[in-house]
Structure formats: C-alpha cells, structure tokens
Amino acid sequence: MDHFHYRDGALWCEDVPLTRIADEVGTPVYVYSAAAFRAQARAFRDALSGVPDVHLAYAIKANPNLAVLRVVAAEGYGADVVSGGEMARALAAGIPASGIVFSGVGKTRAELLRGLEAGIGQFNLELEEEGVVLAQLAHERGLAARAVLRVNPDVDAGTHAKISTGRKENKFGVSIDQAPAMYARLSALPGLSMQGVAIHIGSQLFDLAPLEAAYRRVKALVDELRAAGHQVARVDLGGGLGVRYKAGDDPRTPAEYGAMVERVTKGWDVQLMFEPGRVIAGNAGVLLTRVIWVKPGVVHPYVIVDAAMNDLARPALYDAWHDVDAVVPRGERMTANVAGPVCETGDTFAMAREMDAVKGGDLAVLRTAGAYGATMASTYNSRALVPEVLVDGDRYAVVADRIAAETILAAERVPEWL
Ligand SMILES: *Cc1c(COP(=O)(O)O)cnc(C)c1O
C-alpha cells in the first residue's frame, strides 16, 4: 500500500492532507508516514523469519528522528549507530543498550568509553588499534567489550561510487586477507570478547549478487577462524538493500533478499545481524515544498521551490533522482527544471523533468525522501533547519522543530576585541 496517495484530487499522507500540514507547519517540511515505517520494518523482519537467530539493528543514520526511532524500535529493532550522538539518540528513544551496534571508521576514545559505560551490545571494529584501545578501556574497568571485526570483502556493490564501501580501496573494514591473524591477536586481549565478523558493502544495491558474493567470502573466513580454534557466534551482514526512486527502478524486495540469505547462510550456526537503513526509511517520507516562482528558462522553465540542497542533499551529492509531483495537480504536464534558492548550480533537484504543471504558490513533493534526507540537512545560505512531521493515521505531530536562522545566529559570538 502506498501511504502517500491522491484523494479527491490532492495528495494525502495516510489520512492527513498535505495541504493542511503545509498551512499549519509551513514549508519546506519533511512528512513521514508511521504506517510506512511499520510496514517496511515488518516486511524486512518477516522476510527473515526463516533464518534461525536474527538481530535487527536499524541503521539510524538513514533517519534518526527520535519519533521515527520509537516507531521502528516498536517493531523489534535495535539500532546501528555510527557516532556518540547517534548512540545517545538510540538510548533516548528507549532502545536497550544491548540491542545497539556501534559501527563507524572513526570512533574516538571518548565515544568508545561512552559505549562501554552504556553497555552497548556490540562494537564493530574497523582497525586493530581500535580494538587494542577498546580492550584497554574495558579491562581497566573490569569489563569485556563484545566486538566483531569488520572486514572488507573487496566486492563491487555496483552502486554509486560515493556509497560503495566494500572495495579494497574504500576506507571501511580490514582486508579480508589480514583478518584471520588480526582476529587471533584481538581475541587474545583481556577486555575484549570477540564474537565474530561484520561486513557492509554499500548502499542502494539493486542486485543481490554482490551481497551473496560478499556473504560467501565471509563464510569462508568464518570457517578459517573456526578451524583456527576461534568461537564465531555472530556474523553481521550489514545493510544496503535499495529502494525505488523512479519509474523503471527495480530493486530486489526484502522477501527476495530474505530468501537469498536463508539459502546462503543455511548451517552457519551463528546469530545473523542486519543493519537495514534506506529500505526501512526511504519510501516512508517526502519533502513537501512550495513553488516560489516559475522562472522562464532558455531551454526549459525553472521551477524554483522553497526547499533546497541544504534540506535535501542527495541530488547535489549523488546526482540522485527524486520524483517531483504536485500536491494538487492541475491536470496538465510540463517539462521543467526544478531548483532551490541556494546560490549553487548544484542546488538543482531535476533537469528537463516531465512533471505536473505547477505555478508559483503551488505545493509539490520530492518523493522517497525518508532516508538520508533531513538527517543530512544543514543551514547553508543561513536558511532554517528543516522541520519534520510524523503522520500516524489521521493524526500528525511536528517531531522536529524548524530551527530559525535567528536561533542559529544567536549561537554565534563576536569576540570583544572586534
Ligand atoms: C549506512 C550503513 C548501513 C545502512 O545502509 P543502508 O543502505 O541504508 O541500508 C548499515 N551499516 C553500516 C555500517 C552503514 O554504514
């Protein structure tokens, strides 16, 4: 079911018209569907129901809003976090520390310590020295940190270069060739309880073949570790499943993914961990915006909207596509460029786009903005920080305030000597 749908000629989120949210909250604003989050969280969970021992850790960087975390956690998810700030959010959302996985290539000593003190379930180590430091911090406190070693399986995920993480030249994980010796050294450290291995090869993957290849490499490593006498209790298979952004996109579904996992991991005899982000959040949100002007162009008109690259960075960062639809379609089509007000040519959401005809003052949405949207927002050009709304049935709430440019200005200081 599509949780953003047209009713009586206008776009609604569940049982709330987007026109009402625009009137009452203003634009630009992210609008999320709680039902869509729940449906995707359940679809992913159900897809793995044939796998014996599963831990689901929602990759909160995709959408870390506190209310969103509540919704996803209620579906039985822990959290995959990549900073102390994300760990604090996961804990604030009521996610048990034991269900939190701490990933990330640059965890500081202070962050490792906060994780230890909070008692989080698993540290995903990215380099040997990190494990040595973590072991020392834990040992000094009479603790044993549960950890896995993230390996880089050197597979090409076949996705955009900026969201590919499993090639040997990427910054993530340790070379799978060096992993056995490193694992042995880490296992010998007091203060560290090595549980197994982890991978995450990239994001927005449409094809299961690279994932399957990576999983098979990981299994060979597990066999090698076991042959060397190590216990391997957990394998963290990461995230990466893609979502549909435009017509013709044909990502594998959670069900297809689950079937592959079940087939490939049969008999592994480990707890399997998953870190889905985009597949849970992507289609659960839109960025609602108002057209400021329709500016005549040399080739096509420019639809200048009040959302910009500071609110939704994906098109500027990755040349990403977001469908653009009118909230109240006029019944005509146009070919146009869609851009924000920021003073960068990169602040362009679409070029030569065949879309609903719009005029100044009309509302529009950028679809599939639930993942890697608000979480990447900035205040560039001294714009406000974009607010977020969560719809649940016929109710909605502002779940993150718009932070005005004046509020941000108030946090700046001019030293007395100036
Ligand atoms: C970003 C990330 C994820 C989530 O990736 P998606 O493509 O959003 O599923 C999972 N694990 C790690 C370590 C990540 O960095």
Side-chain angles (χ1 to χ4, degrees):
M1 183 197 162
D2 191 352
H3 301 278
F4 295 89
H5 54 95
Y6 286 95
R7 189 185 290 182
D8 303 328
L11 190 60
W12 292 50
C13 176
E14 301 189 32
D15 295 320
V16 179
L18 293 183
T19 49
R20 193 179 133 205
I21 294 172
D23 288 346
E24 294 176 5
V25 183
T27 55
V29 57
Y30 279 91
V31 181
Y32 307 135
S33 158
F37 272 102
R38 290 189 191 106
Q40 274 309 93
R42 284 175 196 168
F44 193 86
R45 190 185 66 202
D46 292 350
L48 294 164
S49 58
V51 178
D53 187 2
V54 168
H55 177 74
L56 300 169
Y58 167 57
I60 79 171
K61 75 172 188 282
N63 188 324
N65 180 276
L66 203 54
V68 165
L69 294 186
R70 277 287 172 91
V71 171
V72 177
E75 297 303 322
Y77 282 71
D80 173 62
V81 305
V82 293
S83 70
E86 285 196 352
M87 182 172 64
R89 275 176 180 275
L91 293 168
I95 295 174
S98 60
I100 297 177
V101 173
F102 199 165
S103 299
V105 71
K107 301 188 250 348
T108 63
R109 282 171 172 72
E111 286 175 320
L112 291 171
L113 192 52
R114 275 159 70 192
L116 269 178
E117 286 172 346
I120 67 154
Q122 178 173 299
F123 294 86
N124 288 12
L125 302 177
E126 289 267 359
L127 70 164
E128 185 168 1
E129 196 181 352
E130 182 189 17
V132 171
V133 169
L134 177 62
Q136 200 177 354
L137 291 171
H139 188 57
E140 285 164 9
R141 288 160 182 81
L143 301 169
R146 284 175 300 273
V148 301
L149 183 61
R150 177 171 178 180
V151 298
N152 185 320
D154 192 25
V155 297
D156 184 349
T159 186
H160 191 284
K162 287 188 182 167
I163 49 175
S164 180
T165 55
R167 304 291 301 277
K168 63 176 183 291
E169 64 272 23
N170 294 146
K171 70 178 175 179
F172 298 100
V174 304
S175 156
I176 200 158
D177 308 329
Q178 292 166 9
M182 203 178 286
Y183 197 92
R185 291 192 294 271
L186 289 169
S187 296
L189 297 175
L192 213 51
S193 167
M194 291 304 291
Q195 303 285 316
V197 292
I199 53 165
H200 171 70
I201 64 168
S203 196
Q204 184 60 0
L205 274 69
F206 275 15
D207 191 2
L208 298 180
L211 289 166
E212 180 168 342
Y215 296 175
R216 289 191 188 282
R217 284 186 197 181
V218 165
K219 178 54 168 46
L221 173 62
V222 169
D223 290 343
E224 193 177 339
L225 293 174
R226 282 179 169 159
H230 300 291
Q231 301 275 350
V232 179
R234 296 180 184 169
V235 176
D236 184 337
L237 296 178
L241 209 56
V243 300
R244 180 197 167 283
Y245 282 93
K246 64 173 167 186
D249 279 358
D250 186 24
R252 303 280 61 78
T253 62
E256 291 168 305
Y257 173 75
M260 181 276 281
V261 169
E262 203 175 321
R263 176 170 52 78
V264 172
T265 66
K266 208 170 223 65
W268 282 20
D269 191 26
V270 291
Q271 180 179 58
L272 286 181
M273 311 180 71
F274 298 88
E275 303 169 346
R278 189 188 310 270
V279 71
I280 305 293
N283 276 306
V286 299
L287 176 55
L288 177 60
T289 184
R290 200 177 284 281
V291 178
I292 305 175
W293 313 108
V294 178
K295 175 181 171 171
V298 174
V299 183
H300 299 296
Y302 269 94
V303 173
I304 309 290
V305 295
D306 65 2
M309 64 187 283
N310 68 298
D311 306 306
L312 177 63
R314 299 188 65 259
L317 263 184
Y318 319 124
D319 295 320
W321 176 290
H322 290 268
D323 279 343
V324 182
D325 291 317
V327 170
V328 184
R330 296 171 173 275
E332 291 150 39
R333 306 285 290 171
M334 70 194 288
T335 302
N337 309 320
V338 182
V342 161
C343 296
E344 299 261 352
T345 299
D347 182 27
T348 301
F349 292 121
M351 289 297 285
R353 184 70 65 87
E354 152 77 20
M355 58 181 279
D356 290 329
V358 290
K359 295 188 175 156
D362 285 2
L363 291 169
V365 291
L366 292 143
R367 299 249 194 185
T368 319
Y372 305 106
T375 182
M376 286 190 186
S378 76
T379 59
Y380 184 42
N381 274 210
S382 294
R383 290 165 52 86
L385 197 61
V386 63
E388 297 163 272
V389 158
L390 182 72
V391 174
D392 195 357
D394 59 5
R395 293 179 293 194
Y396 84 84
V398 175
V399 293
D401 289 344
R402 187 184 311 281
I403 300 181
E406 292 74 14
T407 307
I408 292 157
L409 183 60
E412 294 182 20
R413 303 282 172 263
V414 177
E416 63 187 24
W417 66 81
L418 287 181

